[in-house]
Amino acid sequence: MLKVVVLGNGNVATHLCQAFEQSQDVLLLQNYNRKGLAVLNCNVSVVSNFKNIASAEIYVVTYNDDSLFETAEELLNLPGLVVHTSGATPMNVFNKFKNFGVFYPLYSFSKTIPVNFNEIPFAVEANTKNNEGVLIRLAKTISPKVYAINSKQRKSLHVAAVFANNFSNFMFTQAKEICDDHNIDFKMLHPIIAQTLHKIEYTEPKLVQTGPAIRNDEETIIEHLKLLDSTKKEIYLNITNAIKNYYGKKL
Amino acid sequence: MLKVVVLGNGNVATHLCQAFEQSQDVLLLQNYNRKGLAVLNCNVSVVSNFKNIASAEIYVVTYNDDSLFETAEELLNLPGLVVHTSGATPMNVFNKFKNFGVFYPLYSFSKTIPVNFNEIPFAVEANTKNNEGVLIRLAKTISPKVYAINSKQRKSLHVAAVFANNFSNFMFTQAKEICDDHNIDFKMLHPIIAQTLHKIEYTEPKLVQTGPAIRNDEETIIEHLKLLDSTKKEIYLNITNAIKNYYGKKL
């Protein structure tokens, strides 16, 4: 049984606590958060006073990237392996510790939306091979998809996820607004979105690009621009030009 | 049995011919294309000489948007309902005909990738209620998802699909390139992409936006920009600013 304390009360902390509580190979000792808030759908014991924090093998620090430096100080006198869960922060933010690393679940968590950890890839990194082994073991208690990658790769993975997840979601938001403005059911677009995803699971996305930009279909592009407000027009033009440039067809 | 002729040999024509051939309520009389090319995975009789085109109830014209005007001339002396399959072209491009309309499958077709028409929404429009009824009947022979919408709505739907499908696919292409450049398996991103899709099926995309842009996380944004080449940097900045503006946080 790996003895674990999770620090923080955000989206990542909530889902990790829930998953560790269910795991038979993890003993989730505590959640620590400064306000002493209960963890949603989880019976873990919560402490708000740092003096009461338990002695664990692994401390999983889920704070915002900006808070990680300060956090390091607080944890200095504790035993065990101290890891953060950030995709964007290098492992070395914790290099004051003897044992440190990264335990990054590559996912976009929302507190109230259930998560199937079996599907979530974990990217782990540690200051020693032994610690890396511990983190792989911990990750494997909740997911079969565990990758050991270094800080530079993880940062690249994080920026790739911004494109693949955050930016694409923003495109869906724009699409939904256009539908709402014209009294169209956004559900009509669900199948085409699902198909896009399905396609990239067995072929490269660059090979299945469609639409007026790659066809260099100026007439359609002009018609589309007429329908859009100035904000959406700017987004449409920027990405259309990027697609044209990518596929070698200049405006 | 609805008697149908499909005109054209592109992605849409190929999949419609395959689907109509399977349907028990459609008699697919012919495919017409100028080069007389066979239709992939379909035994439909192919004609290349316009004089040999059959007398049908419905002519489904799948030509490129730009060719539709010219096409109209050719079909003038034929009986039956003449429809195009374009999301971006108004119905009135065919107003020289007595019976005309639109039969638009909202999907991104690739010739060699199999399609499940049960999942594909059809947007239909016709010059008379009777013709609209015929098109609804035809669409329902291959899909339960049939919507009667007008030309302006369809155009809006088409531009929404550009955002939801074409633009998001281009984001996946960027993500894949970043992964390739850093020796990371793009499959690590599949779950987060699948989750984005899953989320928007039961909530609005604008409510589940995550990432450094909506958090106004300048430090991460700067770190990400350092990792990107000039083309990707421009895309990243454009969309990041759009997200910030959308959620009310100016740079």
Side-chain angles (χ1 to χ4, degrees):
Chain A
M1 295 275 272
L2 288 163
K3 290 178 189 163
V4 176
V5 169
V6 173
L7 293 90
N9 189 258
N11 298 334
V12 175
T14 301
H15 287 290
L16 282 182
C17 281
Q18 292 168 359
F20 288 146
E21 191 184 39
Q22 298 297 320
S23 166
Q24 306 217 322
D25 302 311
V26 173
L27 186 61
L28 179 61
L29 299 175
Q30 284 177 339
N31 173 268
Y32 165 82
N33 68 84
R34 284 173 206 181
K35 291 182 180 167
L37 298 167
V39 179
L40 191 71
N41 298 328
C42 183
N43 296 314
V44 64
S45 146
V46 174
V47 290
S48 59
N49 187 335
F50 210 82
K51 286 176 187 159
N52 298 327
I53 208 161
S55 177
E57 285 166 273
I58 308 166
Y59 296 91
V60 181
V61 183
T62 66
Y63 300 161
N64 286 341
D65 303 354
D66 296 342
S67 319
L68 284 173
F69 287 91
E70 308 154 31
T71 317
E73 290 293 341
E74 280 185 327
L75 287 162
L76 262 183
N77 295 322
L78 288 168
L81 173 52
V82 181
V83 298
H84 70 67
T85 57
S86 162
T89 311
M91 179 174 70
N92 282 335
V93 64
F94 279 171
N95 66 6
K96 288 180 190 169
F97 297 93
K98 192 175 164 203
N99 298 299
F100 59 101
V102 180
F103 188 76
Y104 173 45
L106 178 50
Y107 217 60
S108 172
F109 295 94
S110 304
K111 237 179 204 174
T112 54
I113 298 180
V115 160
N116 175 8
F117 269 99
N118 265 320
E119 292 297 320
I120 299 182
F122 276 82
V124 302
E125 183 184 14
N127 68 320
T128 66
K129 265 285 162 199
N130 188 47
N131 286 334
E132 185 186 287
V134 172
L135 292 181
I136 290 173
R137 208 178 126 206
L138 179 64
K140 287 203 167 161
T141 67
I142 50 178
S143 167
K145 300 180 176 180
V146 183
Y147 300 79
I149 63 175
N150 65 35
S151 287
K152 194 176 175 195
Q153 284 177 309
R154 192 177 58 257
K155 197 182 269 189
S156 306
L157 187 62
H158 188 250
V159 70
V162 168
F163 279 89
N165 172 38
N166 305 150
F167 289 176
S168 62
N169 188 71
F170 188 63
M171 297 305 134
F172 301 147
T173 297
Q174 304 306 302
K176 168 85 165 64
E177 283 203 345
I178 294 165
C179 288
D180 290 348
D181 288 349
H182 296 88
N183 203 23
I184 300 162
D185 189 347
F186 180 57
K187 283 203 175 73
M188 286 188 80
L189 289 169
H190 284 178
I192 206 174
I193 295 171
Q195 172 72 349
T196 303
L197 168 66
H198 186 58
K199 279 179 181 172
I200 66 169
E201 282 184 348
Y202 58 89
T203 185
E204 290 190 38
K206 76 171 172 189
L207 301 178
V208 291
Q209 183 68 45
T210 55
I214 191 174
R215 288 200 311 269
N216 228 14
D217 179 352
E218 288 305 326
E219 207 167 322
T220 299
I221 291 168
I222 289 164
E223 288 299 312
H224 282 175
L225 290 173
K226 285 182 197 164
L227 285 170
L228 298 171
D229 63 34
S230 64
T231 311
K232 288 193 187 61
K233 201 178 282 183
E234 199 182 331
I235 300 168
Y236 187 101
L237 269 177
N238 278 331
I239 305 180
T240 292
N241 287 334
I243 293 172
K244 286 180 176 182
N245 288 332
Y246 184 84
Y247 290 95
K249 294 165 188 164
K250 307 283 177 192
L251 263 182
Chain B
M1 295 277 271
L2 288 163
K3 289 178 189 162
V4 176
V5 168
V6 172
L7 293 90
N9 191 258
N11 298 333
V12 175
T14 302
H15 287 289
L16 282 182
C17 282
Q18 292 168 0
F20 288 145
E21 191 183 42
Q22 298 297 320
S23 167
Q24 305 217 323
D25 303 310
V26 173
L27 185 61
L28 179 62
L29 299 175
Q30 284 177 338
N31 173 269
Y32 164 80
N33 69 83
R34 284 172 206 180
K35 291 183 181 166
L37 299 166
V39 179
L40 191 71
N41 299 326
C42 182
N43 296 317
V44 64
S45 144
V46 174
V47 290
S48 59
N49 188 335
F50 211 82
K51 287 178 188 158
N52 299 327
I53 207 159
S55 177
E57 286 165 273
I58 308 165
Y59 296 92
V60 181
V61 183
T62 65
Y63 299 162
N64 287 342
D65 304 351
D66 295 343
S67 318
L68 285 173
F69 288 91
E70 309 154 31
T71 316
E73 291 293 341
E74 282 186 325
L75 288 162
L76 264 183
N77 297 321
L78 288 168
L81 172 53
V82 181
V83 298
H84 69 67
T85 56
S86 160
T89 309
M91 177 173 73
N92 282 335
V93 64
F94 279 172
N95 65 7
K96 289 181 189 167
F97 297 93
K98 191 175 165 204
N99 298 300
F100 59 101
V102 180
F103 189 76
Y104 172 47
L106 178 50
Y107 217 59
S108 171
F109 295 95
S110 303
K111 237 178 206 175
T112 54
I113 298 180
V115 160
N116 175 9
F117 270 98
N118 265 320
E119 292 298 318
I120 298 181
F122 276 81
V124 302
E125 184 183 10
N127 68 321
T128 66
K129 264 286 163 201
N130 188 47
N131 286 335
E132 184 187 287
V134 172
L135 292 181
I136 290 173
R137 205 176 129 208
L138 178 65
K140 285 204 168 162
T141 67
I142 50 177
S143 166
K145 299 181 177 178
V146 184
Y147 300 78
I149 63 176
N150 65 35
S151 287
K152 195 177 174 196
Q153 285 177 309
R154 192 177 59 257
K155 198 183 266 189
S156 305
L157 187 63
H158 188 249
V159 69
V162 168
F163 279 89
N165 174 38
N166 304 152
F167 290 176
S168 62
N169 188 71
F170 189 62
M171 297 305 134
F172 302 147
T173 297
Q174 303 307 303
K176 169 85 163 64
E177 282 202 348
I178 296 166
C179 288
D180 289 350
D181 288 349
H182 295 88
N183 202 22
I184 299 162
D185 189 347
F186 181 56
K187 283 204 177 71
M188 285 188 80
L189 289 170
H190 284 179
I192 205 173
I193 294 170
Q195 171 72 348
T196 302
L197 167 66
H198 186 57
K199 279 181 182 173
I200 67 167
E201 281 184 348
Y202 58 90
T203 187
E204 291 190 35
K206 76 171 171 189
L207 301 178
V208 291
Q209 183 67 43
T210 54
I214 190 174
R215 287 200 311 271
N216 227 16
D217 180 351
E218 288 305 325
E219 207 168 321
T220 299
I221 291 168
I222 291 165
E223 287 299 312
H224 283 175
L225 290 173
K226 284 182 197 164
L227 284 170
L228 298 171
D229 62 36
S230 64
T231 311
K232 288 192 187 63
K233 201 179 282 183
E234 199 182 328
I235 300 167
Y236 187 102
L237 269 177
N238 279 331
I239 305 180
T240 293
N241 287 333
I243 293 173
K244 285 180 177 182
N245 289 332
Y246 184 84
Y247 290 95
K249 293 164 188 166
K250 308 281 177 191
L251 263 182

